[in-house]
Amino acid sequence: MELLDGKVASAAIKENLKSKTELLTASGKRAPHLAAILIGDDPASHTYVNSKVKNCHEVGIRSTLIQRDDSISEEALLQMIRGLNEDKEVDGILVQVPLPKHISENKVTLTIAPEKDVDGFHPVNIGNMVLGLPGFVSATPWGIILLLKHYGIKSEGKNVVIVGRSHTVGTPLSILFSRNTSFGNATVTLCHSRTHNLEEICRTADILVAAIGKAQFIKEDMVKEGAVVIDVGINRVKDSNTKSGFRLKGDVDFENVKGKCSYISPVPGGVGLMTIAALLTNTFDAYIRNNDVAL
Ligand code: GUN
């Protein structure tokens, strides 16, 4: 079994971005700039956004973190986004979800200009992905593709089984794997809560992606010998032995499954780090496209 190490793969991507950003600034151009909006005090969201900001800094991408408490009105948030859409010094915008109940995530997504939507959530970007046109692919599916690329794992002709059909992971990933591209051309099965014979279908997977948000859901008897297993889950499980009072667990029962796999991604240290690397890549690409810069 070989580990799909997100630390190693994301470090390579970040190193490349850092040297490209240095080239830009050395030639007198401004650095790419991400604006991140964080509403409320959800601890997990704070951790994710702080990590995004820290990673921007590491590669020389400028970031602005805009924090508001959850009493902000929907209209005030939409106005803030419209302002960032118009700001020529901002290349990428992200609004961390989940949002407070009185704010419509759909309205927020539709308000972000598609050419600054580095999360790839806007319908224009989803449509571009389906048609194979330039746009932004959301960070987690794109990070998974980058992780497989880093390890030279091809999906062409293989059976890919994805468990979980979310808008942000399972659904876009099913499209990326099935398109006629260097990283696609797989036969894809997208499983969900109504799937019959889930365990049997998982056992047909050459590449199995777990993205359902249930800790240790994928057990040893659901995995084919030699399969590649990608764990997208980040579940907080209570653990009184840790300082924080919880431990992060993936959607895969790692300890029991790892012996059966050719490759497996750990949690933490796998897909999560790739998601950030993909976000940085999208922000850099937004800068290049929107400012007509040739590298
Ligand atoms: N919340 C959890 N994951 C994400 C993400 O990729 N983008 C945003 N904006 N919010 C998230």
Side-chain angles (χ1 to χ4, degrees), residues 113-163:
E115 63 276 12
K116 295 193 179 186
D117 167 40
V118 286
D119 259 333
F121 293 168
H122 194 288
V124 165
N125 282 316
I126 308 237
N128 284 337
M129 176 191 60
V130 173
L131 296 171
L133 297 171
F136 298 109
V137 175
S138 61
T140 302
W142 193 232
I144 291 169
I145 298 291
L146 294 175
L147 184 61
L148 293 175
K149 272 190 178 181
H150 182 88
Y151 283 90
I153 298 166
K154 294 225 179 302
S155 62
E156 177 153 337
K158 293 184 180 160
N159 289 336
V160 171
V161 175
I162 301 167
V163 187

Side-chain angles (χ1 to χ4, degrees), residues 7 10 23 25 44 55 93 124 127 130 132 154 157 181 200 208 234 251 268-269 273:
K7 232 186 247 173
S10 69
L23 274 180
T25 47
N55 275 269
I93 302 168
V124 165
V130 173
K154 294 225 179 302
T181 56
E200 209 174 292
L208 178 62
I234 305 181
D251 288 352
L273 297 173

Side-chain angles (χ1 to χ4, degrees), residues 186-248:
T187 304
V188 181
T189 309
L190 183 56
C191 301
H192 46 77
S193 54
R194 310 283 172 88
T195 297
H196 292 169
N197 305 324
L198 177 70
E199 299 186 359
E200 209 174 292
I201 295 170
C202 287
R203 280 193 293 272
T204 67
D206 301 309
I207 300 176
L208 178 62
V209 182
I212 30 166
K214 287 189 185 162
Q216 299 180 295
F217 181 84
I218 301 288
K219 303 286 184 203
E220 192 182 354
D221 61 355
M222 298 165 79
V223 177
K224 180 166 82 174
E225 200 72 47
V228 175
V229 174
I230 312 275
D231 191 347
V232 187
I234 305 181
N235 307 289
R236 289 181 168 215
V237 175
K238 271 193 188 145
D239 185 339
S240 53
N241 295 323
T242 64
K243 211 168 102 192
S244 59
F246 66 86
R247 185 181 292 280
L248 292 183

Side-chain angles (χ1 to χ4, degrees), residues 23-100:
L23 274 180
L24 288 176
T25 47
S27 70
K29 296 190 169 65
R30 69 167 176 84
H33 180 192
L34 174 73
I37 302 177
L38 176 58
I39 309 293
D41 52 12
D42 177 60
S45 289
H46 275 254
T47 306
Y48 295 147
V49 174
N50 287 336
S51 177
K52 290 172 186 181
V53 166
K54 177 171 160 273
N55 275 269
C56 279
H57 180 72
E58 284 169 10
V59 300
I61 291 180
R62 182 182 159 203
S63 65
T64 301
L65 173 57
I66 304 168
Q67 275 180 265
R68 294 288 182 272
D69 67 40
D70 53 17
S71 63
I72 188 172
S73 70
E74 183 180 83
E75 188 47 34
L77 175 59
L78 298 181
Q79 269 310 106
M80 188 192 293
I81 295 169
R82 290 184 197 111
L84 295 169
N85 286 344
E86 294 301 316
D87 188 337
K88 296 224 165 357
E89 302 262 305
V90 170
D91 306 294
I93 302 168
L94 80 80
V95 180
Q96 189 69 18
V97 292
L99 288 167

